[in-house]
Amino acid sequence: MADKPSVLFVCVHNAGRSQMAAAWLAHLAGDRVEVRSAGSNPGAAVNPAAVEAMAEVGIDISAETPKILTVDAVKESDVCITMGCGDTCPVFPGKRYLDWKLEDPAGQGVDAVRPIRDEIKTLIEGLIVEIAP
């Protein structure tokens, strides 16, 4: 399906924000959008507090693993959304780039991650309206 928009979420460790964003987009948009996530310096595992926070809303990300950001992942995506990785995301003409300012959930408990999860959901809902009506 060449007409299906693709979105790449990028944060440093690909262990919290980008994993939650990818899960929300896949959950809310279904097969209308192709979803990827990656990190400029991937962590060893997805943040357990992010896993717990997403499980509370019925989304299981426990089997996800952090992935390294590649040039191909950016090339293959229509929209690249960074979340605190700064200039590490390669820029290509014709792509749409967004930078979402979100608190880093690294090292925080689930109580601190819930508001980040909910903020990401709101941003994802707005994104879906824009790219996959």
Side-chain angles (χ1 to χ4, degrees), residues 10-59:
V10 181
C11 67
V12 175
H13 300 296
N14 189 223
R17 295 165 289 187
S18 56
Q19 291 284 352
M20 290 190 289
W24 272 124
L25 183 55
H27 179 75
L28 296 172
D31 62 1
R32 295 182 294 157
V33 178
E34 188 176 340
V35 182
R36 297 180 182 90
S37 73
S40 54
N41 183 19
V46 174
N47 180 334
V51 172
E52 184 178 344
M54 293 303 286
E56 291 176 354
V57 294
I59 301 173

Side-chain angles (χ1 to χ4, degrees), residues 48-77:
V51 172
E52 184 178 344
M54 293 303 286
E56 291 176 354
V57 294
I59 301 173
D60 182 6
I61 62 170
S62 62
E64 297 298 327
T65 56
K67 294 168 276 312
I68 186 74
L69 176 64
T70 65
V71 169
D72 286 343
V74 178
K75 282 183 180 175
E76 295 168 8
S77 301

Side-chain angles (χ1 to χ4, degrees), residues 34-127:
E34 188 176 340
V35 182
R36 297 180 182 90
S37 73
S40 54
N41 183 19
V46 174
N47 180 334
V51 172
E52 184 178 344
M54 293 303 286
E56 291 176 354
V57 294
I59 301 173
D60 182 6
I61 62 170
S62 62
E64 297 298 327
T65 56
K67 294 168 276 312
I68 186 74
L69 176 64
T70 65
V71 169
D72 286 343
V74 178
K75 282 183 180 175
E76 295 168 8
S77 301
D78 299 310
V79 181
C80 298
I81 300 174
T82 56
M83 304 170 170
C85 72
D87 298 330
T88 59
C89 193
V91 176
F92 295 97
K95 305 288 180 194
R96 180 174 175 201
Y97 294 88
L98 301 171
D99 185 39
W100 290 353
K101 305 288 186 208
L102 296 161
E103 191 174 340
D104 188 350
Q108 301 195 54
V110 71
D111 288 341
V113 174
R114 283 185 194 109
I116 301 167
R117 172 201 66 199
D118 296 343
E119 184 178 357
I120 291 170
K121 180 184 181 193
T122 300
L123 290 165
I124 293 296
E125 289 169 338
L127 180 68

